[in-house]
Amino acid sequence: YTSAQGDLAVREAIAEYINSTYGESVTADCLYMSVGAAAALTSSLTALVSPGEEVIVPSPYFPEYKVFIERCGGVIREVSCGARLQLDTKAIEKAINEKTAAIIINSPNNPTGAVYSEENIKALADVLRRCEEKYSHPIYLISDEPYRELVYDGVTVPFIPGIYDNTIVCYSYSK
């Protein structure tokens, strides 16, 4: 059997790619292999969300998020992105409460294709840090990124772990 985290050589190669591409210093131990982003999302939610805790999801969103959240006993809390299709950080901050365990973001977004700007992600990170301090517990940012490489015209998808520490990236090599 291989390690539950996945083959060490594969994880080392991915860590090397992340470090060279994004200027990070992750190790293979920071990585956990799964069968696609959906499996990574459900595993992450199961680990992080206790029954009755809330997960914020900017809307519009991939409909399966609701199923994944409710499967682990969580409660989905939708916050509209509005016409600009960027994160409404003020509305997100109002939605966060003592029951908030996580927020799921998806950029490039399914179904809109919108990419959250680096400034927008930094503003979200500031909100999450303030709310972590206010409620005295971590609020995880789960970044669903199966479409990370599908951007055009010089658009860049920010590397969120470099902006916010309590980030889990769910990535897929199948897209």
Side-chain angles (χ1 to χ4, degrees):
Y1 296 105
T2 62
S3 161
Q5 278 185 271
D7 183 76
L8 178 60
V10 173
R11 291 184 292 119
E12 286 174 338
I14 293 170
E16 185 178 317
Y17 169 79
I18 290 169
N19 294 336
S20 65
T21 303
Y22 303 109
E24 294 293 317
S25 57
V26 300
T27 66
D29 286 335
C30 294
L31 304 171
Y32 199 101
M33 304 302 292
S34 69
V35 184
L41 279 163
T42 57
S43 295
S44 298
L45 288 165
T46 300
L48 298 174
V49 180
S50 295
E53 288 185 327
E54 297 179 0
V55 179
I56 294 173
V57 181
S59 177
Y61 61 89
F62 178 56
E64 291 299 305
Y65 292 163
K66 185 176 191 319
V67 175
F68 299 159
I69 293 165
E70 290 176 349
R71 182 193 146 279
C72 64
V75 177
I76 189 168
R77 187 154 180 153
E78 298 178 29
V79 176
S80 176
C81 283
R84 290 185 29 240
L85 299 178
Q86 291 291 302
L87 300 168
D88 183 340
T89 56
K90 288 180 182 171
I92 290 170
E93 188 162 12
K94 286 180 186 173
I96 294 173
N97 62 61
E98 66 281 346
K99 292 182 180 181
T100 305
I103 179 171
I104 299 174
I105 64 170
N106 176 229
S107 179
N109 181 270
N110 175 4
T112 68
V115 175
Y116 302 138
S117 70
E118 185 168 344
E119 296 77 24
N120 200 213
I121 296 297
K122 285 180 177 178
L124 175 64
D126 289 341
V127 164
L128 294 176
R129 283 189 282 272
R130 277 195 306 274
C131 290
E132 283 182 327
E133 188 172 319
K134 179 178 181 180
Y135 296 111
S136 301
H137 68 80
I139 299 172
Y140 292 93
L141 195 164
I142 302 171
S143 185
D144 181 23
E145 300 185 4
Y147 307 107
R148 168 177 271 289
E149 314 305 327
L150 300 176
V151 292
Y152 306 95
D153 299 327
V155 172
T156 302
V157 178
F159 187 68
I160 297 169
I163 298 170
Y164 184 68
D165 288 339
N166 286 331
T167 298
I168 297 171
V169 175
C170 300
Y171 186 82
S172 174
Y173 288 92
S174 68
K175 303 289 188 229

